[in-house]
Amino acid sequence: YGVKFSIIVLFCSVINSHFVFADHHSVFHSTALIDVRVAHTDEQKSWLKGGFGKTRFGNGEPQTIGRLAEVALLSSYAFDAGFKGDLYLKHDSEQKNEVDVVEGFISFRSNLNENIRYKIRAGIFFPPFSLENRSQGWLPTASITPSAINGWIGDELKTMGGEMSLSYEAENSRLGIIGALFAHNDPVGSLLVWRGWTFGDRKTGR
């Protein structure tokens, strides 16, 4: 279809710094993330800069560039039996605000019996659709750039509302169901109409 890929990732440096605090009733965990990229681009300008390029980087001319892809703080606080709060703050070079909230929610997890458990959460969060982006804050676990559909979810498909999941676990099987009520997501799908599928790892904040 004449699509030209405008980025080759040559180097990725990720620095993680963990901080954990625990007492008899609560556990606080925080991770600082610094992600630096070096990429070689062709003449395609990235869609993030108003061009037709399908990748994150590209200024309209062949060049090798270095970019701060993301600086983030991911924190979680388990403060009572079953209750937990999660917060993901991010800064990158393409976002409008200096600091964006990517995720922020409170959850409660409990067991009905030894086989059935449920979880409730409310706030701003990504839907649990992916086998690829399994880490906190919709981060991919085995690659730098996720698939096109997971990249689109990170760009546009975010829940602001409440969600409940119910799961049954036996010795060698697991069955689950998830339902959610959400708001402020009417324009979902607009990016696909406007720019089509792309490949990128940015998560849109609020």
Side-chain angles (χ1 to χ4, degrees), residues 12-206:
C12 176
S13 174
V14 180
I15 302 173
N16 282 293
S17 177
H18 298 277
F19 172 78
V20 179
F21 169 79
D23 59 23
H24 295 295
H25 304 287
S26 61
V27 176
F28 176 76
H29 180 272
S30 186
T31 299
L33 170 68
I34 302 175
D35 188 347
V36 179
R37 307 285 176 87
V38 176
H40 179 74
T41 68
D42 64 12
E43 68 275 8
Q44 286 280 3
K45 182 183 290 187
S46 168
W47 72 272
L48 288 166
K49 297 183 178 297
F52 295 101
K54 294 295 185 179
T55 52
R56 178 175 179 178
F57 302 106
N59 295 320
E61 57 182 338
Q63 58 180 298
T64 300
I65 58 174
R67 288 289 185 272
L68 178 64
E70 180 177 346
V71 177
L73 181 66
L74 300 93
S75 301
S76 64
Y77 181 43
F79 54 90
D80 204 346
F83 284 95
K84 183 183 175 186
D86 286 85
L87 181 64
Y88 177 9
L89 302 176
K90 175 182 71 76
H91 168 79
D92 68 50
S93 58
E94 290 100 357
Q95 68 188 40
K96 293 181 179 180
N97 303 319
E98 286 297 320
V99 179
D100 271 342
V101 177
V102 180
E103 285 193 308
F105 60 89
I106 296 176
S107 60
F108 175 74
R109 186 192 303 266
S110 185
N111 296 334
L112 294 178
N113 55 45
E114 62 180 8
N115 298 110
I116 301 176
R117 65 176 58 184
Y118 68 93
K119 179 182 177 181
I120 301 171
R121 60 177 176 169
I124 303 171
F125 49 86
F126 292 103
F129 290 163
S130 179
L131 298 176
E132 183 182 4
N133 294 52
R134 304 288 290 179
S135 295
Q136 181 185 13
W138 200 252
L139 296 173
T141 56
S143 64
I144 298 172
T145 301
S147 61
I149 190 169
N150 281 281
W152 166 67
I153 290 175
D155 281 333
E156 194 173 23
L157 187 59
K158 189 182 298 184
T159 298
M160 180 181 290
E163 175 189 272
M164 181 175 181
S165 60
L166 185 68
S167 63
Y168 172 82
E169 296 186 12
E171 183 176 353
N172 296 313
S173 61
R174 182 176 183 269
L175 177 66
I177 186 171
I178 300 173
L181 294 173
F182 56 89
H184 306 296
N185 236 356
D186 293 344
V188 165
S190 301
L191 277 180
L192 293 182
V193 174
W194 174 61
R195 57 111 206 257
W197 295 104
T198 63
F199 292 90
D201 62 331
R202 287 188 67 249
K203 284 80 60 182
T204 302
R206 290 286 181 179

